[in-house]
Amino acid sequence: MGAALPLGPVLDPGADCWWGPVPTGSETTLISVVGHFNTSTDTFAVIGPNRKYETVYNGVTGIGIAAEGTTASGGRKDAHYYRY
């Protein structure tokens, strides 16, 4: 498995969504959503559908991911994402 590749800039709370290409061509890849605390440089995994920490992009049909929530409880219960 290759190294992690950030897809976009860090967004400020309440900022608009980031849109851009996923640089995998037609290969399947895992996408993880990472939250950043506003009081430190620490990060946490944002929980997605079915309580998993990642979603799969198939390289063909496209994917949309939206994250929301707070950093309360370490972000692990209060921040989540959904895909469409």
Side-chain angles (χ1 to χ4, degrees), residues 46-57:
V46 178
I47 297 172
N50 301 319
R51 307 303 292 170
K52 294 182 180 179
Y53 291 105
E54 69 275 324
T55 190
V56 176
Y57 170 63

Side-chain angles (χ1 to χ4, degrees), residues 8-78:
V10 174
L11 298 178
D12 293 327
D16 291 335
C17 295
W18 173 85
W19 292 91
V22 178
T24 62
S26 60
E27 295 180 26
T28 299
T29 190
L30 289 176
I31 297 174
S32 298
V33 181
V34 177
H36 293 259
F37 289 99
N38 59 1
T39 55
S40 70
T41 58
D42 292 339
T43 61
F44 57 91
V46 178
I47 297 172
N50 301 319
R51 307 303 292 170
K52 294 182 180 179
Y53 291 105
E54 69 275 324
T55 190
V56 176
Y57 170 63
N58 67 10
V60 178
T61 58
I63 190 169
I65 297 175
E68 58 185 31
T70 70
T71 57
S73 301
R76 287 165 182 80
K77 294 182 180 178
D78 302 307

